[in-house]
Amino acid sequence: MALFKLFKNKKNNNKNSINTQFENSDIQHENIDENKSELNENIEQNEEQVSDISESTLPSPTEITPTENNTEEKKKKGFFSKIKSGLNKTRQNIMNSVEHVLKSFVKIDEELFEELEEALIMSDIGVETSVLIIEKVKDIVKSEKISDVLEIKNIIARVITEMLEENDTEFELKSPSVILVIGVNGVGKTTTIGKLTHNFIEQNKKVLLAAADTFRAAAIDQLQIWGDRSGVDVIKHQENSDPGAVVFDAVQAAKARSTDVLICDTAGRLHNKKNLMEELRKISKIINREYSNAHIEVFLVLDATTGQNALQQAKLFKEVTDITGIILTKLDGTAKGGIIIAIKNELKIPVRFIGVGEGIDDLQKFKASEFAKALFDIE
């Protein structure tokens, strides 16, 4: 009997619990219905507010489109940051050497200038250029009556900037053009051609490549890889074939396809100057005869990491052919970037492009003013 009462009480308790749950559920449904009605009211109010906004207050598509000036500004900032980053080692090499000398002196005298000259020479600026820089610094110190030793650093930066900017004109490629790329093995000649190709394609130019360095092992294959990457055709013959014949076929193809620029990879051996001279002369003769309306550029590729050796290579190539521009590679991996100042001063050959990284976009058009600002960390 007691067991039956216990069971009955438990059953009633469960029934009450279930009823309570149903009541709570009804309350929750009522709350949901209330929230739903409030939400509908809010939606209606928002729709009314939106309808009240006149069309004249909304920006037109032209107002929200980024301006060309903003895009150009971003490009400039991107260029400057890449150059600045790439020149870190060179900047530290030159300016740390200068600062070390200046901290050792309390007055401006001849001994100070001698120490500064030596510091610049050791920074791969070269003897001739370093002497010229210090002579100009002396003239400024005298004419402006400078007495503060630490001010010399700013004067050196000023003199180098003026040297870099002297007779500087921005390079613009004419169409049609033929670019002969020369340089010794190992300077990054083929890689530079690949990056140049990408650069010109970005400018919406039609590019064709010619594998006229037929004697260096794997040169043709390397150029073909770069051509495939950029979607550009490569005119080529078998290894050890006549470079002149390759250029002849490439010229005919460039004319037939209305190409903007034909880039020719040429041999760069200097162990036999006479043969190299004859080969380049033969190629130039073919271009002049077969493609008389094309503008010819001869770009010498130099490795910045070789410092003064790069300057000597340029002098030797200058004896062999008329160089119209220099491409200085690997600036980001060396403290010897000061060689660019010596090249500009001693050879009077314009620097057209500089390599400041390993990426395909890191071959930058050389701008003297931007380079000088990045070199001396001037915003």
Side-chain angles (χ1 to χ4, degrees), residues 238-298:
Q238 296 296 318
E239 194 172 317
N240 295 319
S241 58
D242 180 15
V246 177
V247 172
F248 178 86
D249 287 349
V251 165
Q252 303 308 318
K255 289 194 297 183
R257 303 176 192 184
S258 300
T259 301
D260 292 308
V261 54
L262 168 63
I263 305 177
C264 303
D265 184 13
T266 64
R269 301 169 312 287
L270 275 173
H271 63 267
N272 193 325
K273 209 181 293 183
K274 184 178 178 182
N275 285 352
L276 178 60
M277 189 184 298
E278 287 300 320
E279 186 177 297
L280 291 174
R281 186 179 290 127
K282 180 181 178 181
I283 290 173
S284 297
K285 187 177 179 181
I286 291 170
I287 296 169
N288 287 324
R289 185 186 70 227
E290 301 295 330
Y291 209 2
S292 58
N293 63 323
H295 179 74
I296 301 177
E297 295 279 354
V298 180

Side-chain angles (χ1 to χ4, degrees), residues 111 289 370:
E111 187 180 354
R289 185 186 70 227
E370 297 292 329

Side-chain angles (χ1 to χ4, degrees), residues 196-209:
L196 266 180
T197 301
H198 173 77
N199 200 314
F200 291 137
I201 288 174
E202 288 289 297
Q203 299 173 37
N204 296 319
K205 294 187 181 296
K206 194 172 181 181
V207 184
L208 185 66
L209 301 179

Side-chain angles (χ1 to χ4, degrees), residues 85-118:
S85 175
L87 290 175
N88 275 339
K89 292 181 180 178
T90 297
R91 185 187 310 112
Q92 291 169 8
N93 187 28
I94 295 175
M95 300 320 291
N96 288 355
S97 300
V98 169
E99 287 172 1
H100 179 73
V101 172
L102 295 177
K103 287 177 182 177
S104 305
F105 287 82
V106 293
K107 66 174 184 176
I108 300 174
D109 56 19
E110 192 61 34
E111 187 180 354
L112 168 62
F113 289 128
E114 288 177 3
E115 291 283 338
L116 286 171
E117 188 178 293
E118 185 177 339

Side-chain angles (χ1 to χ4, degrees), residues 62-257:
T62 54
E63 290 175 332
I64 60 174
T65 302
T67 63
E68 291 181 5
N69 289 338
N70 289 339
T71 305
E72 192 64 29
E73 190 66 26
K74 285 181 181 178
K75 283 183 180 179
K76 286 182 180 178
K77 286 182 179 179
F79 170 84
F80 183 78
S81 62
K82 280 186 178 182
I83 298 293
K84 185 177 176 181
S85 175
L87 290 175
N88 275 339
K89 292 181 180 178
T90 297
R91 185 187 310 112
Q92 291 169 8
N93 187 28
I94 295 175
M95 300 320 291
N96 288 355
S97 300
V98 169
E99 287 172 1
H100 179 73
V101 172
L102 295 177
K103 287 177 182 177
S104 305
F105 287 82
V106 293
K107 66 174 184 176
I108 300 174
D109 56 19
E110 192 61 34
E111 187 180 354
L112 168 62
F113 289 128
E114 288 177 3
E115 291 283 338
L116 286 171
E117 188 178 293
E118 185 177 339
L120 293 177
I121 292 170
M122 296 302 292
S123 300
D124 274 277
I125 293 178
V127 176
E128 183 180 324
T129 305
S130 297
V131 169
L132 180 61
I133 290 170
I134 296 303
E135 286 300 322
K136 290 188 175 186
V137 170
K138 284 182 183 179
D139 292 340
I140 292 172
V141 168
K142 186 177 179 180
S143 63
E144 298 182 7
K145 297 178 177 156
I146 307 286
S147 58
D148 184 0
V149 172
L150 297 180
E151 185 62 25
I152 298 291
K153 176 183 172 181
N154 294 329
I155 296 173
I156 290 174
R158 199 166 103 197
V159 168
I160 292 175
T161 300
E162 289 172 357
M163 290 175 69
L164 287 170
E165 292 181 347
E166 186 179 1
N167 299 323
D168 182 59
T169 54
E170 188 171 344
F171 173 69
E172 290 296 337
L173 187 72
K174 298 176 182 178
S175 181
S177 285
V178 178
I179 299 177
L180 302 179
V181 182
I182 60 177
V184 299
N185 295 343
V187 296
K189 188 158 55 82
T190 308
T191 301
T192 297
I193 290 174
K195 292 180 179 181
L196 266 180
T197 301
H198 173 77
N199 200 314
F200 291 137
I201 288 174
E202 288 289 297
Q203 299 173 37
N204 296 319
K205 294 187 181 296
K206 194 172 181 181
V207 184
L208 185 66
L209 301 179
D213 186 357
T214 59
F215 302 113
R216 182 169 66 87
I220 299 172
D221 294 336
Q222 287 174 9
L223 194 65
Q224 184 64 62
I225 290 170
W226 279 105
D228 292 341
R229 283 182 185 177
S230 300
V232 171
D233 289 338
V234 178
I235 306 301
K236 60 185 180 181
H237 288 187
Q238 296 296 318
E239 194 172 317
N240 295 319
S241 58
D242 180 15
V246 177
V247 172
F248 178 86
D249 287 349
V251 165
Q252 303 308 318
K255 289 194 297 183
R257 303 176 192 184

Side-chain angles (χ1 to χ4, degrees), residues 311-344:
L311 183 63
Q312 296 307 314
Q313 286 174 24
K315 287 179 178 178
L316 289 170
F317 271 104
K318 193 178 179 184
E319 293 175 7
V320 173
T321 186
D322 293 326
I323 304 168
T324 61
I326 284 175
I327 300 175
L328 198 62
T329 65
K330 308 177 188 179
L331 267 173
D332 58 309
T334 182
K336 300 179 179 181
I339 192 63
I340 201 168
I341 305 166
I343 289 170
K344 185 79 190 293

